[in-house]
Amino acid sequence: MKLYFQHSDGSHEFIRELSDNRYQLSAVSAALEDLHKRNPKYKTYYQRTWEDDNGWMWIDVGDHVCFYIVKPD
């Protein structure tokens, strides 16, 4: 599984490979780590996840236009 950051223009930026079998937990941790690197002053008050019909896991960190996505290899 691979973690991507989806920019507000819809483009995807590769963040890292998730090799852990429990990728759901590691994905949220990795997303929060990346978010802090991108903008140390941004505060996320919640993280919401869901899986779409393509099998992608979406991570909402409260930005409203940018998301993290976990896609299969």
Side-chain angles (χ1 to χ4, degrees):
M1 303 300 268
K2 294 181 180 178
L3 177 66
Y4 293 86
F5 179 75
Q6 180 176 292
H7 295 273
S8 60
D9 67 1
S11 64
H12 294 176
E13 177 185 343
F14 175 74
I15 303 300
R16 74 166 65 160
E17 185 85 29
L18 300 170
S19 58
D20 191 325
N21 287 340
R22 297 176 59 195
Y23 71 88
Q24 292 94 343
L25 295 175
S26 63
V28 172
S29 294
L32 292 175
E33 181 181 318
D34 180 72
L35 181 63
H36 181 70
K37 287 179 186 175
R38 286 177 189 279
N39 187 350
K41 294 184 180 191
Y42 182 80
K43 295 203 186 285
T44 177
Y45 295 97
Y46 66 89
Q47 298 83 50
R48 183 173 66 105
T49 64
W50 70 93
E51 190 171 307
D52 69 13
D53 293 338
N54 297 318
W56 297 2
M57 181 179 131
W58 291 75
I59 304 170
D60 176 6
V61 292
D63 184 79
H64 303 292
V65 294
C66 298
F67 297 90
Y68 287 90
I69 304 170
V70 179
K71 301 180 196 179
D73 297 340

